[in-house]
Coordinates of all heavy atoms in Angstrom, one line a residue:
A1 N 2.3 -16.1 -5.0 CA 2.0 -17.3 -4.1 C 3.2 -17.9 -3.5 O 3.1 -18.2 -2.3 CB 1.2 -18.3 -4.9
P2 N 4.3 -18.2 -4.2 CA 5.4 -18.8 -3.5 C 6.2 -17.8 -2.6 O 7.1 -18.4 -1.8 CB 6.4 -19.1 -4.7 CG 5.5 -19.0 -5.9 CD 4.6 -18.0 -5.7
I3 N 5.9 -16.5 -2.7 CA 6.7 -15.6 -1.9 C 6.0 -15.1 -0.7 O 6.6 -14.7 0.3 CB 7.0 -14.3 -2.8 CG1 7.8 -14.8 -4.1 CG2 7.8 -13.2 -2.1 CD1 8.0 -13.7 -5.1
T4 N 4.6 -15.1 -0.7 CA 3.8 -14.5 0.4 C 3.2 -15.7 1.1 O 3.3 -16.9 0.7 CB 2.8 -13.6 -0.2 OG1 1.9 -14.3 -1.1 CG2 3.4 -12.4 -1.0
D5 N 2.6 -15.3 2.2 CA 1.9 -16.3 3.1 C 0.3 -16.1 3.0 O -0.1 -14.8 2.8 CB 2.3 -16.2 4.6 CG 1.7 -17.2 5.4 OD1 2.3 -18.3 5.6 OD2 0.7 -17.0 6.0
E6 N -0.5 -17.0 3.1 CA -1.9 -16.9 3.1 C -2.5 -16.0 4.1 O -3.5 -15.4 4.0 CB -2.6 -18.3 3.2 CG -2.4 -19.0 4.4 CD -3.1 -20.3 4.5 OE1 -3.6 -20.7 3.4 OE2 -3.2 -20.9 5.6
N7 N -1.7 -15.7 5.1 CA -2.2 -14.8 6.3 C -1.7 -13.4 6.0 O -2.1 -12.5 6.9 CB -1.6 -15.3 7.6 CG -2.2 -16.6 8.0 OD1 -3.5 -16.9 7.9 ND2 -1.4 -17.6 8.5
D8 N -0.9 -13.1 5.0 CA -0.4 -11.7 4.8 C -1.5 -10.8 4.5 O -2.6 -11.2 3.9 CB 0.6 -11.7 3.6 CG 1.9 -12.4 3.9 OD1 2.1 -12.8 5.0 OD2 2.7 -12.4 2.9
W9 N -1.4 -9.5 4.9 CA -2.3 -8.5 4.4 C -1.7 -7.9 3.3 O -0.4 -7.7 3.1 CB -2.4 -7.5 5.5 CG -3.1 -7.9 6.8 CD1 -3.6 -9.3 7.0 CD2 -3.4 -7.2 8.0 NE1 -4.2 -9.3 8.2 CE2 -4.0 -8.1 8.9 CE3 -3.2 -5.9 8.4 CZ2 -4.4 -7.8 10.2 CZ3 -3.6 -5.5 9.6 CH2 -4.2 -6.3 10.5
Y10 N -2.5 -7.4 2.3 CA -2.0 -6.9 1.0 C -2.4 -5.4 0.8 O -3.6 -5.0 0.9 CB -2.7 -7.8 -0.1 CG -2.4 -7.3 -1.5 CD1 -1.2 -7.1 -2.0 CD2 -3.5 -7.2 -2.4 CE1 -1.0 -6.7 -3.3 CE2 -3.4 -6.7 -3.7 CZ -2.0 -6.5 -4.2 OH -1.9 -6.1 -5.4
L11 N -1.5 -4.6 0.6 CA -1.7 -3.2 0.3 C -2.0 -3.1 -1.3 O -1.1 -3.1 -2.1 CB -0.5 -2.3 0.6 CG -0.5 -0.9 0.2 CD1 -1.7 -0.2 0.8 CD2 0.8 -0.1 0.6
S12 N -3.2 -3.0 -1.6 CA -3.6 -3.1 -3.0 C -3.6 -1.6 -3.7 O -3.2 -1.7 -4.9 CB -5.0 -3.7 -3.2 OG -6.0 -2.9 -2.6
I13 N -3.9 -0.7 -2.9 CA -3.8 0.7 -3.6 C -3.3 1.7 -2.5 O -3.7 1.6 -1.4 CB -5.2 1.1 -4.0 CG1 -5.9 0.2 -5.0 CG2 -5.3 2.6 -4.5 CD1 -7.3 0.5 -5.4
L14 N -2.4 2.5 -2.9 CA -2.0 3.7 -2.2 C -1.8 4.8 -3.1 O -1.2 4.8 -4.1 CB -0.7 3.4 -1.4 CG 0.0 4.6 -0.8 CD1 -0.9 5.1 0.3 CD2 1.4 4.2 -0.2
G15 N -2.5 5.9 -2.8 CA -2.5 7.1 -3.7 C -2.8 8.4 -3.0 O -3.5 8.4 -2.0
L16 N -2.2 9.5 -3.3 CA -2.3 10.7 -2.7 C -2.4 11.8 -3.8 O -1.7 11.7 -4.8 CB -1.1 11.1 -1.8 CG -1.2 12.3 -1.0 CD1 -2.3 12.3 0.1 CD2 0.2 12.6 -0.3
A17 N -3.3 12.7 -3.7 CA -3.4 13.7 -4.7 C -2.0 14.4 -5.0 O -1.3 14.6 -4.2 CB -4.3 14.8 -4.2
P18 N -1.7 14.4 -6.4 CA -0.4 14.9 -6.8 C 0.1 16.2 -6.1 O 1.3 16.3 -5.7 CB -0.5 15.1 -8.2 CG -1.5 14.1 -8.7 CD -2.5 14.2 -7.5
E19 N -0.8 17.1 -5.9 CA -0.4 18.4 -5.2 C 0.0 18.2 -3.8 O 0.5 19.1 -3.2 CB -1.5 19.4 -5.4 CG -2.8 19.1 -4.7 CD -3.7 18.3 -5.6 OE1 -3.3 17.7 -6.5 OE2 -4.9 18.3 -5.2
C20 N -0.4 17.1 -3.2 CA -0.1 16.8 -1.7 C 1.0 15.9 -1.5 O 1.4 15.6 -0.4 CB -1.4 16.2 -1.1 SG -2.8 17.3 -1.1
Q21 N 1.6 15.5 -2.6 CA 2.7 14.5 -2.5 C 4.0 15.2 -2.0 O 4.1 16.5 -2.2 CB 3.0 13.8 -3.8 CG 1.8 12.8 -4.2 CD 1.9 12.3 -5.6 OE1 3.0 12.3 -6.2 NE2 0.9 11.6 -6.1
G22 N 4.9 14.5 -1.5 CA 6.2 15.0 -1.0 C 6.2 15.7 0.3 O 7.1 16.5 0.7
R23 N 5.1 15.6 1.0 CA 5.0 16.3 2.4 C 4.9 15.3 3.5 O 4.5 15.7 4.7 CB 3.7 17.1 2.3 CG 3.9 18.3 1.4 CD 2.5 19.0 0.8 NE 1.5 19.1 1.9 CZ 0.3 19.4 1.7 NH1 -0.2 19.7 0.4 NH2 -0.6 19.5 2.7
G24 N 5.1 14.1 3.3 CA 5.2 13.0 4.3 C 3.7 12.5 4.7 O 3.6 11.8 5.7
I25 N 2.8 12.9 4.0 CA 1.4 12.5 4.1 C 1.2 11.0 3.9 O 0.5 10.3 4.5 CB 0.4 13.4 3.4 CG1 0.6 14.8 3.9 CG2 -1.0 12.9 3.7 CD1 -0.2 15.8 2.9
G26 N 1.9 10.6 2.9 CA 1.7 9.1 2.4 C 2.1 8.1 3.5 O 1.4 7.2 3.7

């Protein structure tokens, strides 16, 4: 709360299948 603003958008989840990681897809 003290760091963010009430208008901020929040990235709650980011995930990519492990076999697809490291290829710039994220």
Side-chain angles (χ1 to χ4, degrees):
I3 301 172
T4 60
D5 184 89
E6 63 181 8
N7 295 315
D8 288 1
W9 296 359
Y10 174 52
L11 175 56
S12 63
I13 300 175
L14 173 62
L16 186 66
E19 65 271 17
C20 300
Q21 294 175 11
R23 292 157 45 185
I25 300 169

